[in-house]
Amino acid sequence: MKRMFTFGALFALALFAMSPAFAMGEVALAVSTLPSIAPFALASAGVMAVPRAITAFGVRADASDPKAMIAALHTAFAEFKASHDEKLKAKVDDVVLTEKIGRVDAAVDGFQKAIDDLNAKLAAANLGGGVIGDIPGDPEYVGAFKAHMRKGDIQAAMQKGTAEDGGYLAPVEWDRTITGKLKLISPIRANARVITISTAGFKKNFTDRAVGSGWVGETASRPATSTPQIGQLDFPLGEIYANPGISQQLLDDAAVDLEQWLSDEVDTEFSRQEGIAFLSGDGTNKPHGILTYVTGGTAAARHPWGAIQVVNTGSAAALTSDSFIDLFYSLPAAFRTNAKLYTSRGAQAAMRKLKDGQNNYLWQPSFSQGQPATLAGEAIVEIPDMPAVAAGAIAALYGDMDASYLVVDRVGIRVLRDPFTNKPFVHFYTTKRVGGGLYNPEPMRALMVGTGA
């Protein structure tokens, strides 16, 4: 059935498309439904509240209001399911409906990402509320300026535009915080087993528990049985370093605490780098990534107990519902309690369209703040650097990361303040030694896109 739009609906949608909020990317495209337009207001984490005129099915999608975001997410996902079901039932390809599904899917993904970001920033609810440095804000000046703008008084004798005529008395207010470009941090460390060592390296002993036994009669001979074997696995340490420099005068005069800011930036960069290594590192001056231990990977033969087993999707280049059921039930029951699904955001977009045998969608959004989205009841953890859905790619990992992967820290981050090597610059030579590798392959499974043929 073709979708028809009233002239008023199209006119309203056109006005919305020309609005500044639309141009700035603060909100998603409006999603039109009969008999009226029901726009989705999408606000990503860190963006101010969406304009009041824009609502998501009657619920304000304010990024600072978790309840409103969750309500908007569920409303958007309900619309996504209805539209996707309609497309599946249609006998011909409806271009308008396909375009609408894409917009709704983008809105669902944006809402879920905003909630995920809120969950990650529970401890920073008042971010940006303070002032760093020794120059406080001047609310009296700001108030006087606003009053002047309201009254429209003209003072020709003195003007702010010329310094000598009074400009010195009207300092420009400026932001004393520094906003950084987004760096996606992997959550592998937060989910893996982490130990701290005080020596140069770490080795772990493993046994195959291959003890033989047998039943014998009272007087029968007792031949020798098999003896368990012991293997050893090395977890070598790699070193990350950074050596940024700031002039001494800038350190002395800046109203921003540059040393603290630089320390935070280096810490974030280290977290990003080690997250990449924990996932796909080759072991050369860095950890062995967990993906390299999957069957067919470069480190598949390193562990005495073998590689991480693979479950195929059954489709050459796509995800399937049955493959996730097979994936979940391929994991031994002893490891199901703490198991999670580790995948990329792009893969979640494909998961959102999967159904079970009763026509129920497998993917479900967060139902409360602090809770993740789920697939068939299994919690989803987003790992930014996981491969995209493509032929031969590992699209997801499922299992108990704490029982599977080991992160080895050597002391922690060390900072050497060096004002001598490159005067007049002060360098902050920062290092961190960290290793990582597969602790146990049994609590983890990998989903590979392909037929396995």
Side-chain angles (χ1 to χ4, degrees), residues 5 9 31 43 49 52 64 79 87 144 162 203 208 261 279 310 349 395-396 413:
F5 296 90
V31 180
R52 296 183 180 182
S64 64
E79 178 67 16
K87 179 181 178 181
T162 304
K203 295 180 183 290
D208 57 10
W261 166 74
L279 184 67
V310 167
I413 295 179

Side-chain angles (χ1 to χ4, degrees), residues 252-269:
D252 293 340
D253 301 339
V256 174
D257 187 345
L258 289 179
E259 290 193 40
Q260 182 60 51
W261 166 74
L262 194 60
S263 174
D264 293 341
E265 288 295 302
V266 171
D267 184 58
T268 301
E269 171 61 14

